[in-house]
Amino acid sequence: MIIDEHRQWLTNFYKQREWYQYSPFIRLNFLMEEVGELAQTVRAIELGRDHPGETSQTPTELNEHLKEELADVLDQVLILSEKYQLDVDELIVQSETKLKKRFHED
């Protein structure tokens, strides 16, 4: 699966730069930072920005920024899953199973 291949690549990338050694607790803070940046981007798309010193972005630029921030959040989640040795495929199955059960879906 492509997501697991990316997780392995990402883990190696982080290890080469000595970023991987941070504990899951510290890594969670990095995730929260990325979620904050994602929130700013979504706000800019949905409500606009009114902040001195910021330049306006086109819809295309905002969309690219959204993809970048979502990818950053995903990467932090993948690193956390690697830290806890959790199989990404199992996480996806668990999510689907929980939602189907909760909402009585087949």
Side-chain angles (χ1 to χ4, degrees), residues 47-61:
L47 302 175
R49 293 284 292 163
D50 185 19
H51 191 275
E54 285 186 352
T55 58
S56 295
Q57 292 183 307
T58 67
T60 300
E61 290 171 327

Side-chain angles (χ1 to χ4, degrees), residues 50-98:
D50 185 19
H51 191 275
E54 285 186 352
T55 58
S56 295
Q57 292 183 307
T58 67
T60 300
E61 290 171 327
L62 287 169
N63 190 54
E64 287 301 312
H65 198 199
L66 177 64
K67 290 191 288 187
E68 177 183 331
E69 297 306 336
L70 280 168
D72 289 348
V73 168
L74 178 60
D75 283 352
Q76 292 305 317
V77 169
L78 290 173
I79 289 294
L80 274 171
S81 72
E82 178 71 18
K83 287 279 191 179
Y84 286 109
Q85 300 175 338
L86 299 173
D87 184 286
V88 178
D89 288 338
E90 286 180 25
L91 295 175
I92 292 168
V93 169
Q94 183 172 344
S95 171
E96 287 183 20
T97 301
K98 178 182 81 173

Side-chain angles (χ1 to χ4, degrees), residues 5-52:
E5 291 172 13
H6 176 67
R7 184 174 80 160
Q8 289 304 315
W9 176 87
L10 187 66
T11 298
N12 291 333
F13 184 85
Y14 273 45
K15 284 179 178 178
Q16 289 172 356
R17 284 156 183 78
E18 298 182 5
W19 297 344
Y20 188 79
Q21 81 277 6
Y22 295 117
S23 72
F25 187 74
I26 291 172
R27 182 69 44 210
L28 186 60
N29 286 293
F30 292 144
L31 173 59
M32 293 298 99
E33 179 181 337
E34 296 301 345
V35 168
E37 292 173 7
L38 176 59
Q40 282 184 321
T41 303
V42 170
R43 178 179 182 255
I45 292 169
E46 296 298 324
L47 302 175
R49 293 284 292 163
D50 185 19
H51 191 275

